[in-house]
Amino acid sequence: MKKVALITGATSGIGEATACMFASNGYDLIITGRRSDRLKTLKNKLENDTTRVLDLCFDVRSEEEVKQALSQLPKDWKIIDVLVNNAGLAAGLESFDTGSSDDWNRMIDTNMKGLLYVSYEVAQIMKENKTKGHIVNIGSIAGKEVYPNGNVYCASKHAVDALSKGMRMDLLKHNIKVTQICPGAVETEFSLVRFHNDADRAKSVYEGYEALVASDIADCIWFAVSRPPHVNINDMIVMPAAQASSSVFFKSNS
């Protein structure tokens, strides 16, 4: 039987690249996101005679939407071998004392609570099927180090780091692996979202050096998932060669 991977935030960036990677390696896919048009486009791109794709449009921030979508999966989709918790974002880059509570709530609800809601439902499916499962959480270098003006985003990714460790302990008895992949600077829609669609400011983040791209992280995710059954990659930090830490870069224009 073919394996199934569920990928959240599959409408762009790392999620979309990961979906393409898993499809090319023989997986059937459950892709989720908030933009139904992009989900349909990706489904049409990847689905063929040998690859099935189920698209589910919901917001991970809504526990009700997550429960409804995942508890009512069609019977032939109720085997999930791999979950990639990719949905996440940064909103704003301000000093704590001038930050926006709307931005804070958006990050906490997506990066922390959304990961919890989806992981809980998928863990129930994996336990029920009594097959070896694998959960991959997309963390960040911001979950290892704090940088100026990163306050709440860094806190949310530190939470992902702690949750990954706790989930790994608690799910061990159910033969469910847990891996965390922590990227540094990846040129996707990340900065465009962070700066509320200010394209010039978003572009400036990646000037003067070669950032990672989404497919680099998809490669790392696939590497972790494709290890032999007795091997688990607990944690992986992946940086551009020009980035030494969360805030130290070597840029050609510096």
Side-chain angles (χ1 to χ4, degrees):
M1 182 179 294
K2 291 187 68 174
K3 290 188 174 183
V4 175
L6 189 158
I7 301 164
T8 67
T11 55
S12 65
I14 293 170
E16 181 179 1
T18 302
C20 294
M21 175 65 74
F22 275 76
S24 69
N25 282 281
Y27 273 67
D28 288 335
L29 300 172
I30 302 172
I31 54 174
T32 84
R34 293 180 296 113
R35 293 174 286 190
S36 60
D37 55 335
R38 292 200 179 192
L39 285 174
K40 295 294 184 187
T41 298
L42 183 59
K43 174 183 170 75
N44 292 336
K45 174 183 175 181
L46 297 180
E47 195 167 47
N48 54 46
D49 292 339
T50 59
T51 301
R52 299 183 305 152
V53 180
L54 175 66
D55 56 307
L56 299 176
C57 186
F58 63 84
D59 189 338
V60 299
R61 294 176 295 180
S62 168
E63 185 176 10
E64 182 179 350
E65 288 184 29
V66 171
K67 283 184 176 293
Q68 182 175 11
L70 299 182
S71 67
Q72 298 180 14
L73 284 171
K75 186 176 180 180
D76 58 338
W77 284 99
K78 282 205 169 182
I79 295 179
I80 298 173
D81 300 280
V82 176
L83 164 63
V84 180
N85 278 312
N86 168 70
L89 55 84
L93 186 66
E94 286 81 36
S95 174
F96 173 76
D97 55 298
T98 59
S100 159
S101 62
D102 287 341
D103 285 346
W104 297 350
N105 288 327
R106 189 178 175 197
M107 288 184 282
I108 291 168
D109 289 348
T110 305
N111 299 350
M112 296 169 56
K113 293 164 73 175
L115 182 146
L116 284 172
Y117 299 152
V118 174
S119 297
Y120 180 84
E121 295 300 324
V122 173
Q124 305 314 308
I125 294 170
M126 289 178 172
K127 286 166 56 180
E128 183 179 343
N129 292 326
K130 296 182 178 178
T131 57
K132 292 182 178 180
H134 200 157
I135 296 174
V136 180
N137 295 329
I138 305 304
S140 170
I141 185 61
K144 306 292 186 180
E145 309 168 15
V146 178
Y147 53 83
N149 300 325
N151 42 77
V152 175
Y153 176 67
C154 292
S156 73
K157 287 300 186 178
H158 273 68
V160 173
D161 186 56
L163 285 169
S164 297
K165 294 172 183 174
M167 289 166 62
R168 189 177 301 119
M169 295 175 185
D170 294 343
L171 298 177
L172 183 65
K173 59 183 176 289
H174 300 296
N175 288 317
I176 298 173
K177 297 179 181 181
V178 178
T179 293
Q180 182 182 211
I181 307 291
C182 299
V186 186
E187 188 166 6
T188 61
E189 292 182 354
F190 177 86
S191 289
L192 191 64
V193 172
R194 161 167 265 175
F195 297 129
H196 306 293
N197 294 313
D198 184 335
D200 289 337
R201 190 177 179 191
K203 184 179 178 181
S204 70
V205 172
Y206 308 108
E207 290 177 345
Y209 70 102
E210 185 175 359
L212 298 173
V213 294
S215 60
D216 294 325
I217 307 307
D219 282 340
C220 295
I221 295 166
W222 176 249
F223 175 81
V225 169
S226 62
R227 295 309 86 205
H230 70 289
V231 176
N232 187 56
I233 305 298
N234 283 2
D235 204 357
M236 185 188 299
I237 300 176
V238 189
M239 307 281 270
Q243 184 179 9
S245 71
S246 62
S247 57
V248 177
F249 292 79
F250 179 78
K251 299 184 179 184
S252 60
N253 57 1
S254 59

